[in-house]
Amino acid sequence: VLSDDQAELIANMARGFSLNANAKGLIFDGIPEAVVRAEYCGIACQSRIDFYSHEHGVIDLKTCDDLTWFEADAKRYGYAYQMAFYRAMVRIATGNTVPVHFIAIEKKVPFRCGVWRVSDQLLDACQAENEASIERMKRYIETDIWLTGYEEIRVFDSF
């Protein structure tokens, strides 16, 4: 059950989405909430992709406060790592390397909507980091020694 305010917000966001032809085109035909299960790096994994299109690949829907800062938010929250995982799972399941897109919609006036194609180079780099993390996790499980990555003194030199 939604409150009146929640229903109004969703309707406004839907209107903002409907004004972006690229966003509408990406999810014209495909599978919403697509589930992919596969063995990845020797571990049984599952992903739930917001939308999968045979033509456009992985499409992830994001909400944000201000579309101007979406790219900074995506970097801060590590969205590319999530998308690299989804792309890798689709590759295992289908044998195809697919494109990846974000559709971001503001949660406040003017409810702007934007579309980004995530670069293959970024996804490749994030996939390599994901796989290295999975290998570390497997070692931690085997040894029951869980390192944090902060065992050494670090240098702080940012302004």
Side-chain angles (χ1 to χ4, degrees), residues 97-157:
T97 300
V98 299
V100 175
H101 296 84
F102 289 122
I103 298 175
I105 307 165
E106 289 178 326
K107 297 182 286 186
K108 64 180 184 182
V109 173
F111 301 100
R112 297 178 298 167
C113 177
V115 175
W116 284 260
R117 166 100 163 50
V118 184
S119 79
D120 290 332
Q121 294 82 8
L122 177 60
L123 292 167
D124 291 344
C126 289
Q127 181 177 339
E129 288 188 46
N130 284 348
E131 291 173 359
S133 294
I134 291 169
E135 291 305 316
R136 282 192 305 277
M137 181 187 74
K138 287 165 49 178
R139 282 194 307 275
Y140 299 163
I141 290 169
E142 289 172 7
T143 63
D144 200 28
I145 298 171
W146 295 80
L147 301 176
T148 66
Y150 293 87
E151 285 74 22
E152 304 296 326
I153 295 175
R154 294 172 174 232
V155 174
F156 183 83
D157 61 358

Side-chain angles (χ1 to χ4, degrees), residues 8-91:
E8 182 179 3
L9 173 63
I10 291 168
N12 285 329
M13 291 172 67
R15 272 192 292 283
F17 173 86
S18 71
L19 296 174
N20 188 307
N22 290 314
K24 290 191 311 185
L26 285 177
I27 64 166
F28 177 74
D29 186 31
I31 305 165
E33 296 292 325
V35 174
V36 180
R37 293 182 182 97
E39 186 170 302
Y40 181 49
C41 298
I43 295 179
C45 293
Q46 174 179 302
S47 60
R48 184 178 303 271
I49 300 167
D50 286 345
F51 197 87
Y52 178 76
S53 163
H54 295 290
E55 182 178 351
H56 302 292
V58 172
I59 296 109
D60 199 59
L61 304 174
K62 300 292 187 190
T63 61
C64 60
D65 289 325
D66 188 329
L67 206 59
T68 303
W69 305 111
F70 174 73
E71 290 178 38
D73 289 345
K75 184 176 180 179
R76 177 176 47 172
Y77 296 124
Y79 292 161
Y81 294 96
Q82 175 189 10
M83 297 304 98
F85 176 73
Y86 289 171
R87 186 186 70 161
M89 291 289 287
V90 169
R91 183 184 299 141

